[in-house]
């Protein structure tokens, strides 16, 4: 997320959450680890990132779930569990709210996007001409086929 205001405490908290997002971390554990009151942590999170620690945690989990859905054939319930949700129904509802798609729809969309070939520079593109391939005398065309008779 975009940083609204740099806060070293929030940076440390975000790092702590990134390392533990799948382990169902509690806000009380985080605030204890940082020696700060949970309300202070929440207030500073909102001031710095524009979201609560729980929203940040959900974002981490959703991004990890998107990667798993796009790159693996794991069942959706398993993906939910691996990113920290013990209730697959809750995960599916939250995923749909955040992405506008069900996890299955997201997977189908992510895996159906064809990979495009690398762009070709204009000097490597064949010249289009009505007079046929023999009319192009550029050296980048490579070997020429004899004209059809």
């Amino acid at each position: 997320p975009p940083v609204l205001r740099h806060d070293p405490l929030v940076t440390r908290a975000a790092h702590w959450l990134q390392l533990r997002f799948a382990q169902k971390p509690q806000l009380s554990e985080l605030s204890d680890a940082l020696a700060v009151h949970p309300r202070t942590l929440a207030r500073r999170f909102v001031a710095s990132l524009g979201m609560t620690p729980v929203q940040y945690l959900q974002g981490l989990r959703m991004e990890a779930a998107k990667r798993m859905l796009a790159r693996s054939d794991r069942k959706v319930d398993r993906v939910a569990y691996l990113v920290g949700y013990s209730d697959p129904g809750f995960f599916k509802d939250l995923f749909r709210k955040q992405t506008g798609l069900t996890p299955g729809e997201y997977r189908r969309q992510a895996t159906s996007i064809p990979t495009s070939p690398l762009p070709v520079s204009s000097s490597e593109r064949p010249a289009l001409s009505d007079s046929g391939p023999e009319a192009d005398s550029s050296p980048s065309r490579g070997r020429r086929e004899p004209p059809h008779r």
Side-chain angles (χ1 to χ4, degrees):
V3 175
L4 304 174
R5 191 180 89 213
H6 178 71
D7 185 330
L9 176 73
V10 173
T11 301
R12 289 194 332 264
H15 181 69
W16 191 92
L17 288 169
Q18 290 165 8
L19 295 174
R20 295 167 180 83
F21 73 88
Q23 301 166 4
K24 300 178 187 147
Q26 299 297 312
L27 185 56
S28 60
E29 294 172 325
L30 173 58
S31 60
D32 287 348
L34 298 173
V36 65
H37 194 279
R39 280 187 300 221
T40 300
L41 179 61
R43 183 179 45 77
R44 288 177 63 176
F45 234 93
V46 171
S48 180
L49 299 177
M51 65 180 73
T52 66
V54 171
Q55 291 169 323
Y56 181 80
L57 175 62
Q58 287 176 340
L60 292 173
R61 288 175 170 172
M62 288 297 121
E63 289 304 311
K66 288 178 192 177
R67 285 190 302 273
M68 283 187 206
L69 290 166
R71 297 176 185 169
S72 78
D73 59 353
R74 289 185 179 107
K75 293 185 179 195
V76 172
D77 292 1
R78 181 75 179 143
V79 169
Y81 177 77
L82 290 171
V83 298
Y85 292 101
S86 55
D87 180 351
F90 179 76
F91 166 74
K92 291 172 189 174
D93 289 344
L94 186 61
F95 192 93
R96 185 175 191 137
K97 273 185 202 170
Q98 291 200 4
T99 65
L101 301 168
T102 67
E105 290 168 341
Y106 181 87
R107 171 177 275 154
R108 283 187 291 280
Q109 192 176 75
T111 57
S112 70
I113 298 171
T115 57
S116 61
L118 294 174
V120 178
S121 72
S122 60
S123 65
E124 294 172 347
R125 285 190 197 117
L128 300 177
S129 126
D130 289 296
S131 51
E134 60 276 354
D136 182 13
S137 61
S138 71
S140 64
R141 286 284 292 182
R143 201 176 88 208
R144 293 215 169 58
E145 296 293 323
H148 296 292
R149 297 188 199 257

